[in-house]
Amino acid sequence: MGNVQKKGITSGSFAELARKHVDIEAFKAQHSSLEQFTNCVIQTTSTEELYMILSYSRKTVNQTGDGHFSPMAAYHKGRDMLLILDVARYKYPFHWLPRMTVWDAMNKIDKETDETRGKHVDIEAFKTQHSSLEQFTNCVIQTTSTEELYMILSYSRKTVNQGRDMLLILDVARYKYPFHWLPRMTVWDVMNEIDKETDETRGFMMVRKKIS
């Protein structure tokens, strides 16, 4: 981890690490094509069951730094642009990039590997409005009963009281909130809050650990 924090991680190592936890399909830009990339973008943004992580050079998109990983969340066909959910939000907010610019950025050679960068695609997602409290509870029990599943929650933050029947939340914004317990019913309620961007409820994702 110390080496990763100092030098970062290559696309291949990222995919290898991810395969220990989820099913993932990785593509190097040099072994792919613009048509395949575009088809994957359309496929990913047409379903709630796939996610795409881009590996690209920041230099090509006029940002500081070089090699970077971030998920792609949406595709605007009319403007031919991709919505990048930059993981370094302290540095760059979520932003749109032209599809061709992203393709060019993925085709830059990674000095560590002498190969191009690329994309990584897969997960099982649920919207609470299309799910039920029983299904959610069963997924919680299933996830915490095995080392092969992980659950990621999408919810609206609320002030809550401590109590029993609680879930341990590993908040990714640890600089803001440490890991904390929330009542299961409260989590269900906050996942049912409407997301103003989509006019739909939030939800949860079941991530299956890949069995080697």
Side-chain angles (χ1 to χ4, degrees), residues 64-125:
T64 59
D66 195 1
H68 189 59
F69 295 90
S70 277
M72 183 275 299
Y75 174 51
H76 192 297
K77 188 174 181 180
R79 297 175 62 195
D80 196 20
M81 299 185 79
L82 308 181
L83 178 60
I84 308 299
L85 302 188
D86 202 309
V87 294
R89 291 185 65 184
Y90 68 93
K91 191 175 181 182
Y92 296 102
F94 299 163
H95 54 275
W96 292 88
L97 289 177
R99 176 177 56 92
M100 289 302 299
T101 299
V102 173
W103 175 249
D104 290 341
M106 292 195 303
N107 271 283
K108 291 298 179 183
I109 298 296
D110 182 348
K111 295 177 181 178
E112 292 294 319
T113 64
D114 287 328
E115 292 185 310
T116 59
R117 304 176 190 276
K119 60 185 182 297
H120 311 271
V121 192
D122 213 358
I123 304 180
E124 189 175 3

Side-chain angles (χ1 to χ4, degrees), residues 9-28:
I9 189 170
T10 65
S11 181
S13 296
F14 179 93
E16 183 179 349
L17 180 62
R19 287 193 182 100
K20 295 180 182 295
H21 305 283
V22 298
D23 291 327
I24 185 169
E25 190 174 1
F27 304 84
K28 289 280 189 180

Side-chain angles (χ1 to χ4, degrees), residues 20-190:
K20 295 180 182 295
H21 305 283
V22 298
D23 291 327
I24 185 169
E25 190 174 1
F27 304 84
K28 289 280 189 180
Q30 70 196 71
H31 302 140
S32 183
S33 66
L34 176 59
E35 181 181 11
Q36 184 184 27
F37 169 60
T38 303
N39 288 339
C40 283
V41 166
I42 294 171
Q43 183 183 4
T44 302
T45 54
S46 300
T47 177
E48 295 183 356
E49 297 177 357
L50 286 174
Y51 296 85
M52 178 179 283
I53 301 168
L54 303 173
S55 172
Y56 59 97
S57 170
R58 280 196 184 279
K59 291 181 179 179
T60 308
V61 297
N62 296 318
Q63 296 175 353
T64 59
D66 195 1
H68 189 59
F69 295 90
S70 277
M72 183 275 299
Y75 174 51
H76 192 297
K77 188 174 181 180
R79 297 175 62 195
D80 196 20
M81 299 185 79
L82 308 181
L83 178 60
I84 308 299
L85 302 188
D86 202 309
V87 294
R89 291 185 65 184
Y90 68 93
K91 191 175 181 182
Y92 296 102
F94 299 163
H95 54 275
W96 292 88
L97 289 177
R99 176 177 56 92
M100 289 302 299
T101 299
V102 173
W103 175 249
D104 290 341
M106 292 195 303
N107 271 283
K108 291 298 179 183
I109 298 296
D110 182 348
K111 295 177 181 178
E112 292 294 319
T113 64
D114 287 328
E115 292 185 310
T116 59
R117 304 176 190 276
K119 60 185 182 297
H120 311 271
V121 192
D122 213 358
I123 304 180
E124 189 175 3
F126 305 83
K127 290 280 188 181
T128 52
Q129 68 198 68
H130 306 312
S131 182
S132 66
L133 176 58
E134 181 181 11
Q135 184 183 24
F136 169 61
T137 303
N138 288 339
C139 285
V140 167
I141 295 171
Q142 184 182 4
T143 302
T144 53
S145 299
T146 177
E147 294 182 355
E148 296 175 1
L149 285 174
Y150 300 86
M151 179 177 283
I152 302 171
L153 304 175
S154 171
Y155 60 94
S156 175
R157 292 192 188 277
K158 298 287 183 181
T159 304
V160 297
N161 295 319
Q162 296 289 338
R164 296 183 178 180
D165 192 16
M166 313 266 286
L167 306 181
L168 178 59
I169 308 299
L170 305 186
D171 202 311
V172 294
R174 291 187 64 184
Y175 68 94
K176 191 174 181 182
Y177 297 102
F179 297 163
H180 54 276
W181 291 88
L182 292 178
R184 177 176 57 90
M185 288 303 299
T186 299
V187 173
W188 176 251
D189 289 341
V190 296

